[in-house]
mmCIF file of all heavy atoms in Angstrom:
data_model
loop_
_atom_site.group_PDB
_atom_site.id
_atom_site.type_symbol
_atom_site.label_atom_id
_atom_site.label_comp_id
_atom_site.label_asym_id
_atom_site.label_seq_id
_atom_site.Cartn_x
_atom_site.Cartn_y
_atom_site.Cartn_z
ATOM 1 N N GLU A 690 3.887 -5.468 14.171
ATOM 2 C CA GLU A 690 3.817 -5.668 12.673
ATOM 3 C C GLU A 690 5.143 -5.425 12.103
ATOM 4 O O GLU A 690 5.669 -4.284 12.348
ATOM 5 C CB GLU A 690 2.667 -4.920 12.188
ATOM 6 C CG GLU A 690 2.353 -5.184 10.649
ATOM 7 C CD GLU A 690 2.299 -6.732 10.407
ATOM 8 O OE1 GLU A 690 1.490 -7.398 10.975
ATOM 9 O OE2 GLU A 690 3.223 -7.198 9.680
ATOM 10 N N PHE A 691 5.571 -6.333 11.209
ATOM 11 C CA PHE A 691 6.907 -6.125 10.575
ATOM 12 C C PHE A 691 6.762 -5.953 9.108
ATOM 13 O O PHE A 691 7.775 -5.998 8.395
ATOM 14 C CB PHE A 691 7.797 -7.246 10.896
ATOM 15 C CG PHE A 691 8.081 -7.386 12.455
ATOM 16 C CD1 PHE A 691 7.392 -8.407 13.113
ATOM 17 C CD2 PHE A 691 8.978 -6.631 13.033
ATOM 18 C CE1 PHE A 691 7.611 -8.596 14.461
ATOM 19 C CE2 PHE A 691 9.252 -6.773 14.456
ATOM 20 C CZ PHE A 691 8.560 -7.727 15.090
ATOM 21 N N LEU A 692 5.579 -5.742 8.558
ATOM 22 C CA LEU A 692 5.485 -5.733 7.014
ATOM 23 C C LEU A 692 6.147 -4.513 6.524
ATOM 24 O O LEU A 692 6.205 -3.477 7.119
ATOM 25 C CB LEU A 692 3.992 -5.851 6.661
ATOM 26 C CG LEU A 692 2.949 -4.846 7.174
ATOM 27 C CD1 LEU A 692 3.083 -3.525 6.362
ATOM 28 C CD2 LEU A 692 1.618 -5.515 7.031
ATOM 29 N N LYS A 693 6.580 -4.803 5.238
ATOM 30 C CA LYS A 693 7.189 -3.707 4.540
ATOM 31 C C LYS A 693 6.270 -3.163 3.481
ATOM 32 O O LYS A 693 5.480 -3.915 2.825
ATOM 33 C CB LYS A 693 8.516 -4.158 3.722
ATOM 34 C CG LYS A 693 9.586 -4.812 4.626
ATOM 35 C CD LYS A 693 10.725 -5.274 3.727
ATOM 36 C CE LYS A 693 10.450 -6.520 2.947
ATOM 37 N NZ LYS A 693 10.299 -7.724 3.695
ATOM 38 N N GLU A 694 6.204 -1.790 3.332
ATOM 39 C CA GLU A 694 5.318 -1.183 2.370
ATOM 40 C C GLU A 694 5.816 -1.736 0.953
ATOM 41 O O GLU A 694 6.950 -1.893 0.785
ATOM 42 C CB GLU A 694 5.343 0.286 2.453
ATOM 43 C CG GLU A 694 4.693 0.741 3.712
ATOM 44 C CD GLU A 694 4.480 2.257 3.693
ATOM 45 O OE1 GLU A 694 4.586 2.889 2.700
ATOM 46 O OE2 GLU A 694 4.370 2.807 4.897
ATOM 47 N N LYS A 746 9.707 -4.863 18.315
ATOM 48 C CA LYS A 746 9.435 -4.047 17.153
ATOM 49 C C LYS A 746 10.394 -2.838 17.028
ATOM 50 O O LYS A 746 10.961 -2.626 15.907
ATOM 51 C CB LYS A 746 7.984 -3.506 17.250
ATOM 52 C CG LYS A 746 7.598 -2.452 16.249
ATOM 53 C CD LYS A 746 7.485 -2.934 14.888
ATOM 54 C CE LYS A 746 7.222 -1.855 13.892
ATOM 55 N NZ LYS A 746 6.867 -2.253 12.581
ATOM 56 N N ASN A 750 13.457 -2.294 13.995
ATOM 57 C CA ASN A 750 13.445 -1.101 13.146
ATOM 58 C C ASN A 750 14.745 -0.322 13.450
ATOM 59 O O ASN A 750 15.395 0.273 12.466
ATOM 60 C CB ASN A 750 12.270 -0.228 13.377
ATOM 61 C CG ASN A 750 11.116 -0.673 12.531
ATOM 62 O OD1 ASN A 750 11.366 -1.622 11.684
ATOM 63 N ND2 ASN A 750 9.924 -0.191 12.599
ATOM 64 N N LEU A 753 17.671 -1.937 11.707
ATOM 65 C CA LEU A 753 17.622 -1.792 10.323
ATOM 66 C C LEU A 753 18.058 -0.324 9.961
ATOM 67 O O LEU A 753 18.827 -0.048 8.957
ATOM 68 C CB LEU A 753 16.294 -2.057 9.702
ATOM 69 C CG LEU A 753 15.828 -3.599 9.798
ATOM 70 C CD1 LEU A 753 14.323 -3.722 9.465
ATOM 71 C CD2 LEU A 753 16.744 -4.358 8.867
ATOM 72 N N ILE A 757 21.428 1.189 7.770
ATOM 73 C CA ILE A 757 21.391 2.171 6.677
ATOM 74 C C ILE A 757 22.296 3.320 6.965
ATOM 75 O O ILE A 757 23.086 3.790 6.185
ATOM 76 C CB ILE A 757 19.953 2.585 6.367
ATOM 77 C CG1 ILE A 757 19.123 1.491 5.960
ATOM 78 C CG2 ILE A 757 19.872 3.683 5.242
ATOM 79 C CD1 ILE A 757 17.644 1.721 5.941
ATOM 80 N N PHE A 791 20.067 -4.497 3.380
ATOM 81 C CA PHE A 791 19.993 -3.199 4.097
ATOM 82 C C PHE A 791 21.250 -2.589 4.266
ATOM 83 O O PHE A 791 21.426 -1.747 5.188
ATOM 84 C CB PHE A 791 19.358 -3.513 5.422
ATOM 85 C CG PHE A 791 17.832 -3.088 5.344
ATOM 86 C CD1 PHE A 791 16.933 -3.879 4.682
ATOM 87 C CD2 PHE A 791 17.441 -1.826 5.875
ATOM 88 C CE1 PHE A 791 15.612 -3.497 4.616
ATOM 89 C CE2 PHE A 791 16.108 -1.465 5.722
ATOM 90 C CZ PHE A 791 15.219 -2.293 5.170
ATOM 91 N N ILE A 792 22.232 -2.709 3.323
ATOM 92 C CA ILE A 792 23.400 -1.904 3.500
ATOM 93 C C ILE A 792 23.605 -1.183 2.110
ATOM 94 O O ILE A 792 24.768 -0.970 1.634
ATOM 95 C CB ILE A 792 24.716 -2.740 3.793
ATOM 96 C CG1 ILE A 792 24.768 -3.962 2.914
ATOM 97 C CG2 ILE A 792 24.575 -3.140 5.271
ATOM 98 C CD1 ILE A 792 26.239 -4.571 2.956
ATOM 99 N N TYR A 793 22.402 -0.765 1.538
ATOM 100 C CA TYR A 793 22.534 0.047 0.316
ATOM 101 C C TYR A 793 22.719 1.572 0.675
ATOM 102 O O TYR A 793 21.731 2.066 1.435
ATOM 103 C CB TYR A 793 21.322 -0.187 -0.600
ATOM 104 C CG TYR A 793 21.365 -1.518 -1.246
ATOM 105 C CD1 TYR A 793 20.929 -2.652 -0.601
ATOM 106 C CD2 TYR A 793 22.055 -1.616 -2.478
ATOM 107 C CE1 TYR A 793 21.035 -3.860 -1.190
ATOM 108 C CE2 TYR A 793 22.184 -2.863 -3.026
ATOM 109 C CZ TYR A 793 21.680 -4.006 -2.409
ATOM 110 O OH TYR A 793 21.753 -5.352 -3.007
ATOM 111 N N PRO A 794 23.702 2.259 0.231
ATOM 112 C CA PRO A 794 23.726 3.680 0.459
ATOM 113 C C PRO A 794 22.702 4.418 -0.326
ATOM 114 O O PRO A 794 22.250 3.916 -1.247
ATOM 115 C CB PRO A 794 25.117 4.003 -0.026
ATOM 116 C CG PRO A 794 25.507 3.017 -1.072
ATOM 117 C CD PRO A 794 24.813 1.746 -0.648
ATOM 118 N N GLY A 795 22.308 5.508 0.127
ATOM 119 C CA GLY A 795 21.210 6.161 -0.620
ATOM 120 C C GLY A 795 21.089 7.674 -0.119
ATOM 121 O O GLY A 795 22.054 8.162 0.553
ATOM 122 N N GLY A 797 19.134 8.519 2.284
ATOM 123 C CA GLY A 797 18.571 8.637 3.637
ATOM 124 C C GLY A 797 17.341 7.743 3.675
ATOM 125 O O GLY A 797 16.637 7.648 2.607
ATOM 126 N N TYR A 798 17.007 7.187 4.814
ATOM 127 C CA TYR A 798 15.715 6.422 4.895
ATOM 128 C C TYR A 798 14.557 7.330 5.211
ATOM 129 O O TYR A 798 14.765 8.469 5.806
ATOM 130 C CB TYR A 798 15.821 5.356 5.937
ATOM 131 C CG TYR A 798 16.161 5.842 7.356
ATOM 132 C CD1 TYR A 798 15.260 6.354 8.194
ATOM 133 C CD2 TYR A 798 17.343 5.507 7.893
ATOM 134 C CE1 TYR A 798 15.515 6.796 9.462
ATOM 135 C CE2 TYR A 798 17.672 6.004 9.220
ATOM 136 C CZ TYR A 798 16.755 6.587 9.970
ATOM 137 O OH TYR A 798 17.089 6.937 11.240
ATOM 138 N N GLY A 799 13.429 6.984 4.711
ATOM 139 C CA GLY A 799 12.131 7.721 4.945
ATOM 140 C C GLY A 799 11.060 6.778 5.377
ATOM 141 O O GLY A 799 11.428 5.715 5.928
ATOM 142 N N GLY A 800 9.788 7.129 5.143
ATOM 143 C CA GLY A 800 8.799 6.261 5.420
ATOM 144 C C GLY A 800 8.154 6.587 6.833
ATOM 145 O O GLY A 800 8.521 7.497 7.573
ATOM 146 N N SER A 801 7.158 5.739 7.116
ATOM 147 C CA SER A 801 6.360 5.944 8.328
ATOM 148 C C SER A 801 6.949 5.381 9.540
ATOM 149 O O SER A 801 6.546 5.633 10.692
ATOM 150 C CB SER A 801 4.908 5.425 8.135
ATOM 151 O OG SER A 801 5.004 4.021 8.009
ATOM 152 N N CYS A 802 7.900 4.496 9.432
ATOM 153 C CA CYS A 802 8.439 3.765 10.520
ATOM 154 C C CYS A 802 9.779 4.148 11.107
ATOM 155 O O CYS A 802 9.910 4.610 12.218
ATOM 156 C CB CYS A 802 8.484 2.212 10.185
ATOM 157 S SG CYS A 802 6.902 1.582 9.912
ATOM 158 N N PHE A 803 10.792 4.038 10.202
ATOM 159 C CA PHE A 803 12.143 4.275 10.759
ATOM 160 C C PHE A 803 12.392 5.631 11.358
ATOM 161 O O PHE A 803 12.727 5.694 12.551
ATOM 162 C CB PHE A 803 13.218 4.020 9.665
ATOM 163 C CG PHE A 803 13.418 2.625 9.237
ATOM 164 C CD1 PHE A 803 14.020 2.346 8.020
ATOM 165 C CD2 PHE A 803 12.894 1.575 9.952
ATOM 166 C CE1 PHE A 803 14.191 1.079 7.538
ATOM 167 C CE2 PHE A 803 13.042 0.270 9.515
ATOM 168 C CZ PHE A 803 13.641 0.070 8.347
ATOM 169 N N PHE A 862 8.967 7.463 -0.819
ATOM 170 C CA PHE A 862 10.081 7.127 0.005
ATOM 171 C C PHE A 862 10.810 5.888 -0.291
ATOM 172 O O PHE A 862 11.950 5.715 0.079
ATOM 173 C CB PHE A 862 9.699 7.159 1.495
ATOM 174 C CG PHE A 862 9.246 5.810 2.025
ATOM 175 C CD1 PHE A 862 10.035 4.983 2.710
ATOM 176 C CD2 PHE A 862 7.938 5.497 1.920
ATOM 177 C CE1 PHE A 862 9.563 3.716 3.266
ATOM 178 C CE2 PHE A 862 7.429 4.297 2.326
ATOM 179 C CZ PHE A 862 8.216 3.426 3.071
ATOM 180 N N LYS A 863 10.188 5.046 -1.051
ATOM 181 C CA LYS A 863 10.890 3.850 -1.667
ATOM 182 C C LYS A 863 9.944 3.287 -2.813
ATOM 183 O O LYS A 863 8.841 3.812 -2.908
ATOM 184 C CB LYS A 863 10.994 2.748 -0.599
ATOM 185 C CG LYS A 863 9.747 2.145 -0.137
ATOM 186 C CD LYS A 863 10.053 1.020 0.843
ATOM 187 C CE LYS A 863 8.927 0.021 0.975
ATOM 188 N NZ LYS A 863 9.166 -1.066 1.770
ATOM 189 N N GLU A 931 14.320 4.231 -6.415
ATOM 190 C CA GLU A 931 14.798 3.332 -7.460
ATOM 191 C C GLU A 931 13.662 2.324 -7.956
ATOM 192 O O GLU A 931 13.688 1.176 -7.782
ATOM 193 C CB GLU A 931 15.991 2.408 -6.951
ATOM 194 C CG GLU A 931 15.666 1.447 -5.754
ATOM 195 C CD GLU A 931 15.508 2.092 -4.345
ATOM 196 O OE1 GLU A 931 15.222 3.324 -4.233
ATOM 197 O OE2 GLU A 931 15.805 1.387 -3.432
ATOM 198 N N ARG A 956 20.742 6.508 -5.763
ATOM 199 C CA ARG A 956 20.555 5.141 -5.263
ATOM 200 C C ARG A 956 21.618 4.109 -6.009
ATOM 201 O O ARG A 956 21.408 2.947 -5.958
ATOM 202 C CB ARG A 956 19.166 4.606 -5.643
ATOM 203 C CG ARG A 956 18.098 5.370 -5.011
ATOM 204 C CD ARG A 956 17.978 5.048 -3.493
ATOM 205 N NE ARG A 956 17.072 5.984 -2.888
ATOM 206 C CZ ARG A 956 16.833 6.028 -1.541
ATOM 207 N NH1 ARG A 956 17.451 5.171 -0.770
ATOM 208 N NH2 ARG A 956 16.043 6.940 -1.071
HETATM 209 C C1 UDX B 1068 10.157 -0.776 7.564
HETATM 210 C C2 UDX B 1068 10.715 -2.178 8.088
HETATM 211 O O1 UDX B 1068 11.447 -2.818 6.992
HETATM 212 C C3 UDX B 1068 9.575 -3.045 8.451
HETATM 213 O O2 UDX B 1068 9.966 -4.356 8.922
HETATM 214 C C4 UDX B 1068 8.745 -2.278 9.494
HETATM 215 O O3 UDX B 1068 7.503 -3.092 9.822
HETATM 216 C C5 UDX B 1068 8.314 -0.935 9.028
HETATM 217 O O4 UDX B 1068 9.469 -0.201 8.610
HETATM 218 P P1 UDX B 1068 9.140 0.213 5.354
HETATM 219 O O5 UDX B 1068 8.990 1.532 6.164
HETATM 220 O O6 UDX B 1068 8.000 -0.155 4.564
HETATM 221 O O7 UDX B 1068 9.470 -0.978 6.409
HETATM 222 O O8 UDX B 1068 10.394 0.371 4.416
HETATM 223 P P2 UDX B 1068 11.817 -0.371 4.097
HETATM 224 O O9 UDX B 1068 11.660 -1.236 2.957
HETATM 225 O O10 UDX B 1068 12.356 -1.002 5.298
HETATM 226 O O11 UDX B 1068 12.745 0.997 3.745
HETATM 227 C C6 UDX B 1068 12.871 2.073 4.581
HETATM 228 C C7 UDX B 1068 13.692 3.142 3.959
HETATM 229 O O12 UDX B 1068 15.054 2.735 4.119
HETATM 230 C C8 UDX B 1068 13.499 3.578 2.484
HETATM 231 O O13 UDX B 1068 13.427 4.900 2.519
HETATM 232 C C9 UDX B 1068 14.674 2.892 1.817
HETATM 233 O O14 UDX B 1068 14.920 3.637 0.633
HETATM 234 C C10 UDX B 1068 15.698 2.929 2.848
HETATM 235 N N1 UDX B 1068 16.814 1.946 2.613
HETATM 236 C C11 UDX B 1068 16.521 0.559 2.823
HETATM 237 C C12 UDX B 1068 18.033 2.315 2.258
HETATM 238 O O15 UDX B 1068 18.307 3.549 2.230
HETATM 239 N N2 UDX B 1068 19.068 1.383 2.111
HETATM 240 C C13 UDX B 1068 18.843 0.012 2.313
HETATM 241 O O16 UDX B 1068 19.746 -0.675 2.137
HETATM 242 C C14 UDX B 1068 17.519 -0.339 2.611
#
Side-chain angles (χ1 to χ4, degrees):
E690 184 47 64
F691 300 100
L692 55 81
K693 300 184 283 296
E694 293 188 20
K746 168 72 187 189
N750 276 352
L753 293 168
I757 300 170
F791 259 76
I792 53 167
Y793 287 87
Y798 58 74
S801 64
C802 289
F803 291 165
F862 85 96
K863 69 172 200 177
E931 69 280 27
R956 300 286 168 187

